Short mmCIF file of all heavy atoms in Angstrom, two decimals:
data_model
loop_
_atom_site.label_atom_id
_atom_site.label_comp_id
_atom_site.label_asym_id
_atom_site.label_seq_id
_atom_site.Cartn_x
_atom_site.Cartn_y
_atom_site.Cartn_z
N GLU A 57 -7.56 7.99 3.41
CA GLU A 57 -7.35 6.67 3.98
C GLU A 57 -8.66 5.72 3.69
O GLU A 57 -8.40 4.65 3.46
CB GLU A 57 -7.22 6.75 5.43
CG GLU A 57 -5.73 7.38 5.84
CD GLU A 57 -5.53 7.46 7.37
OE1 GLU A 57 -5.74 6.40 8.04
OE2 GLU A 57 -5.21 8.51 7.86
N ARG A 58 -9.77 6.38 3.72
CA ARG A 58 -11.03 5.65 3.49
C ARG A 58 -10.99 5.00 1.96
O ARG A 58 -11.36 3.91 1.79
CB ARG A 58 -12.29 6.44 3.58
CG ARG A 58 -13.60 5.90 3.40
CD ARG A 58 -13.83 4.94 4.54
NE ARG A 58 -13.95 3.57 3.93
CZ ARG A 58 -13.76 2.47 4.81
NH1 ARG A 58 -13.67 2.50 5.99
NH2 ARG A 58 -13.71 1.32 4.23
N SER A 59 -10.41 5.72 1.15
CA SER A 59 -10.24 5.16 -0.25
C SER A 59 -9.33 4.03 -0.35
O SER A 59 -9.60 2.98 -1.01
CB SER A 59 -9.67 6.33 -1.24
OG SER A 59 -10.52 7.33 -1.48
N VAL A 60 -8.22 4.10 0.53
CA VAL A 60 -7.40 2.98 0.54
C VAL A 60 -8.01 1.81 1.10
O VAL A 60 -7.88 0.53 0.58
CB VAL A 60 -6.10 3.35 1.45
CG1 VAL A 60 -5.18 2.27 1.56
CG2 VAL A 60 -5.27 4.43 0.71
N PHE A 61 -8.79 1.86 2.12
CA PHE A 61 -9.51 0.81 2.77
C PHE A 61 -10.63 0.25 1.77
O PHE A 61 -10.80 -0.85 1.66
CB PHE A 61 -10.24 1.09 4.02
CG PHE A 61 -9.26 1.29 5.14
CD1 PHE A 61 -9.13 2.58 5.81
CD2 PHE A 61 -8.43 0.29 5.63
CE1 PHE A 61 -8.36 2.62 6.94
CE2 PHE A 61 -7.59 0.44 6.62
CZ PHE A 61 -7.47 1.60 7.26
N ASN A 62 -11.22 1.16 0.99
CA ASN A 62 -12.24 0.81 0.00
C ASN A 62 -11.46 -0.06 -1.06
O ASN A 62 -11.99 -1.21 -1.53
CB ASN A 62 -12.83 1.88 -0.65
CG ASN A 62 -13.92 2.47 0.27
OD1 ASN A 62 -14.35 1.93 1.08
ND2 ASN A 62 -14.24 3.75 -0.04
N TRP A 63 -10.28 0.31 -1.55
CA TRP A 63 -9.55 -0.41 -2.56
C TRP A 63 -9.17 -1.85 -1.96
O TRP A 63 -9.31 -2.79 -2.67
CB TRP A 63 -8.28 0.26 -2.92
CG TRP A 63 -8.35 1.66 -3.62
CD1 TRP A 63 -9.46 2.06 -4.25
CD2 TRP A 63 -7.25 2.53 -3.81
NE1 TRP A 63 -9.20 3.24 -4.76
CE2 TRP A 63 -7.80 3.60 -4.55
CE3 TRP A 63 -5.98 2.60 -3.44
CZ2 TRP A 63 -7.07 4.77 -4.98
CZ3 TRP A 63 -5.21 3.70 -3.77
CH2 TRP A 63 -5.78 4.79 -4.49
N PHE A 64 -8.80 -1.94 -0.72
CA PHE A 64 -8.43 -3.21 -0.12
C PHE A 64 -9.68 -4.15 -0.08
O PHE A 64 -9.66 -5.27 -0.41
CB PHE A 64 -7.90 -2.91 1.29
CG PHE A 64 -7.83 -4.23 2.20
CD1 PHE A 64 -6.82 -5.14 1.77
CD2 PHE A 64 -8.53 -4.25 3.24
CE1 PHE A 64 -6.79 -6.28 2.60
CE2 PHE A 64 -8.50 -5.41 4.07
CZ PHE A 64 -7.64 -6.38 3.78
N GLU A 65 -10.73 -3.52 0.46
CA GLU A 65 -12.00 -4.42 0.58
C GLU A 65 -12.54 -4.89 -0.81
O GLU A 65 -13.13 -5.86 -0.85
CB GLU A 65 -13.15 -3.55 1.26
CG GLU A 65 -12.81 -3.22 2.64
CD GLU A 65 -13.62 -2.19 3.39
OE1 GLU A 65 -14.50 -1.67 2.61
OE2 GLU A 65 -13.44 -1.88 4.52
N ARG A 66 -12.26 -4.07 -1.84
CA ARG A 66 -12.79 -4.52 -3.23
C ARG A 66 -11.76 -5.31 -4.04
O ARG A 66 -11.98 -5.82 -4.97
CB ARG A 66 -13.17 -3.32 -4.07
CG ARG A 66 -14.39 -2.47 -3.59
CD ARG A 66 -14.64 -1.41 -4.49
NE ARG A 66 -13.59 -0.31 -4.37
CZ ARG A 66 -13.40 0.60 -5.29
NH1 ARG A 66 -13.99 0.49 -6.44
NH2 ARG A 66 -12.46 1.39 -5.14
N GLY A 67 -10.58 -5.52 -3.34
CA GLY A 67 -9.42 -6.32 -3.96
C GLY A 67 -8.58 -5.61 -4.98
O GLY A 67 -7.91 -6.23 -5.63
N VAL A 68 -8.69 -4.20 -5.01
CA VAL A 68 -7.94 -3.41 -5.97
C VAL A 68 -6.43 -3.46 -5.48
O VAL A 68 -5.53 -3.66 -6.31
CB VAL A 68 -8.36 -1.99 -5.92
CG1 VAL A 68 -7.56 -1.10 -6.81
CG2 VAL A 68 -9.92 -1.97 -6.48
N ILE A 69 -6.18 -3.50 -4.21
CA ILE A 69 -4.89 -3.59 -3.74
C ILE A 69 -4.71 -4.72 -2.73
O ILE A 69 -5.71 -4.96 -2.03
CB ILE A 69 -4.36 -2.27 -3.00
CG1 ILE A 69 -5.21 -1.86 -1.96
CG2 ILE A 69 -4.14 -1.29 -4.20
CD1 ILE A 69 -4.69 -0.60 -1.18
N PRO A 70 -3.50 -5.29 -2.57
CA PRO A 70 -3.36 -6.35 -1.60
C PRO A 70 -3.09 -5.83 -0.27
O PRO A 70 -2.51 -4.73 -0.07
CB PRO A 70 -2.11 -7.18 -2.11
CG PRO A 70 -1.32 -6.08 -3.06
CD PRO A 70 -2.34 -5.16 -3.54
N GLY A 71 -3.49 -6.60 0.84
CA GLY A 71 -3.22 -6.22 2.15
C GLY A 71 -3.70 -7.28 3.02
O GLY A 71 -4.12 -8.34 2.59
N PHE A 72 -3.55 -7.22 4.25
CA PHE A 72 -3.94 -8.23 5.22
C PHE A 72 -4.22 -7.62 6.53
O PHE A 72 -3.87 -6.65 6.93
CB PHE A 72 -2.93 -9.33 5.28
CG PHE A 72 -1.51 -8.91 5.64
CD1 PHE A 72 -1.19 -8.92 6.97
CD2 PHE A 72 -0.54 -8.40 4.76
CE1 PHE A 72 0.15 -8.44 7.41
CE2 PHE A 72 0.61 -7.99 5.12
CZ PHE A 72 1.06 -7.90 6.47
N ARG A 73 -5.11 -8.44 7.16
CA ARG A 73 -5.54 -7.95 8.47
C ARG A 73 -4.64 -8.61 9.58
O ARG A 73 -4.25 -9.72 9.54
CB ARG A 73 -6.99 -8.36 8.81
CG ARG A 73 -7.96 -7.67 7.96
CD ARG A 73 -9.37 -7.90 8.36
NE ARG A 73 -10.36 -7.21 7.41
CZ ARG A 73 -10.71 -6.00 7.61
NH1 ARG A 73 -10.26 -5.28 8.52
NH2 ARG A 73 -11.46 -5.46 6.72
N ILE A 74 -4.36 -7.75 10.56
CA ILE A 74 -3.68 -8.40 11.79
C ILE A 74 -4.47 -7.86 12.92
O ILE A 74 -4.53 -6.74 13.39
CB ILE A 74 -2.19 -7.71 12.01
CG1 ILE A 74 -1.39 -8.08 10.77
CG2 ILE A 74 -1.57 -8.30 13.31
CD1 ILE A 74 -0.05 -7.36 10.82
N GLY A 75 -5.43 -8.86 13.36
CA GLY A 75 -6.43 -8.42 14.42
C GLY A 75 -7.36 -7.57 13.72
O GLY A 75 -8.00 -7.77 12.78
N LYS A 76 -7.61 -6.38 14.37
CA LYS A 76 -8.45 -5.42 13.69
C LYS A 76 -7.80 -4.37 12.83
O LYS A 76 -8.43 -3.50 12.30
CB LYS A 76 -9.13 -4.62 14.94
CG LYS A 76 -10.06 -5.43 15.64
CD LYS A 76 -10.82 -4.57 16.72
CE LYS A 76 -11.75 -5.50 17.58
NZ LYS A 76 -12.42 -4.66 18.59
N THR A 77 -6.49 -4.46 12.74
CA THR A 77 -5.77 -3.51 11.88
C THR A 77 -5.57 -4.10 10.46
O THR A 77 -5.50 -5.34 10.27
CB THR A 77 -4.37 -3.17 12.54
OG1 THR A 77 -3.48 -4.27 12.63
CG2 THR A 77 -4.61 -2.49 13.83
N VAL A 78 -5.29 -3.25 9.61
CA VAL A 78 -4.99 -3.57 8.18
C VAL A 78 -3.51 -3.11 7.83
O VAL A 78 -3.24 -1.86 8.16
CB VAL A 78 -5.88 -3.18 7.13
CG1 VAL A 78 -5.60 -3.56 5.73
CG2 VAL A 78 -7.35 -3.72 7.49
N ARG A 79 -2.63 -3.96 7.23
CA ARG A 79 -1.38 -3.51 6.81
C ARG A 79 -1.15 -3.78 5.43
O ARG A 79 -1.82 -4.72 4.83
CB ARG A 79 -0.28 -4.19 7.70
CG ARG A 79 -0.31 -3.80 9.19
CD ARG A 79 0.17 -2.35 9.21
NE ARG A 79 0.26 -1.97 10.65
CZ ARG A 79 -0.69 -1.41 11.40
NH1 ARG A 79 -1.90 -1.21 10.84
NH2 ARG A 79 -0.53 -1.13 12.62
N PHE A 80 -0.35 -3.07 4.73
CA PHE A 80 -0.11 -3.21 3.31
C PHE A 80 1.39 -3.37 3.03
O PHE A 80 2.28 -2.66 3.77
CB PHE A 80 -0.59 -1.89 2.46
CG PHE A 80 -2.01 -1.62 2.76
CD1 PHE A 80 -2.43 -0.92 3.85
CD2 PHE A 80 -3.02 -2.24 2.09
CE1 PHE A 80 -3.75 -0.62 4.11
CE2 PHE A 80 -4.35 -2.04 2.18
CZ PHE A 80 -4.82 -1.16 3.25
N ASN A 81 1.70 -4.29 2.24
CA ASN A 81 3.14 -4.42 1.75
C ASN A 81 3.37 -3.35 0.59
O ASN A 81 2.71 -3.46 -0.43
CB ASN A 81 3.46 -5.84 1.20
CG ASN A 81 4.80 -5.94 0.75
OD1 ASN A 81 5.44 -5.18 0.09
ND2 ASN A 81 5.43 -7.19 0.96
N LEU A 82 4.05 -2.25 0.98
CA LEU A 82 4.10 -1.21 0.05
C LEU A 82 4.65 -1.59 -1.37
O LEU A 82 4.10 -1.16 -2.36
CB LEU A 82 5.03 -0.09 0.59
CG LEU A 82 5.09 1.24 -0.15
CD1 LEU A 82 3.63 1.70 -0.27
CD2 LEU A 82 5.97 2.23 0.64
N ALA A 83 5.49 -2.46 -1.42
CA ALA A 83 6.08 -2.86 -2.85
C ALA A 83 4.98 -3.63 -3.58
O ALA A 83 4.94 -3.38 -4.75
CB ALA A 83 7.28 -3.83 -2.60
N GLU A 84 4.12 -4.40 -2.93
CA GLU A 84 3.01 -5.04 -3.59
C GLU A 84 1.99 -4.10 -4.11
O GLU A 84 1.51 -4.24 -5.23
CB GLU A 84 2.46 -6.18 -2.81
CG GLU A 84 3.37 -7.27 -2.54
CD GLU A 84 2.69 -8.43 -1.61
OE1 GLU A 84 1.55 -8.29 -1.22
OE2 GLU A 84 3.37 -9.38 -1.36
N VAL A 85 1.69 -3.07 -3.31
CA VAL A 85 0.69 -2.02 -3.62
C VAL A 85 1.26 -1.35 -4.89
O VAL A 85 0.46 -1.00 -5.76
CB VAL A 85 0.49 -1.10 -2.47
CG1 VAL A 85 -0.51 0.10 -2.86
CG2 VAL A 85 -0.19 -1.98 -1.32
N VAL A 86 2.53 -0.81 -4.71
CA VAL A 86 3.00 -0.19 -5.94
C VAL A 86 3.02 -1.02 -7.17
O VAL A 86 2.64 -0.34 -8.25
CB VAL A 86 4.52 0.32 -5.52
CG1 VAL A 86 5.20 0.75 -6.76
CG2 VAL A 86 4.51 1.29 -4.47
#
Side-chain angles (χ1 to χ4, degrees):
E57 288 180 53
R58 183 70 247 163
S59 292
V60 174
F61 288 119
N62 286 340
W63 292 347
F64 169 67
E65 291 167 2
R66 290 184 293 153
V68 175
I69 61 172
F72 55 94
R73 293 189 184 277
I74 301 174
K76 292 183 179 182
T77 64
V78 178
R79 293 293 183 264
F80 302 92
N81 180 321
L82 189 56
E84 290 179 3
V85 172
V86 168

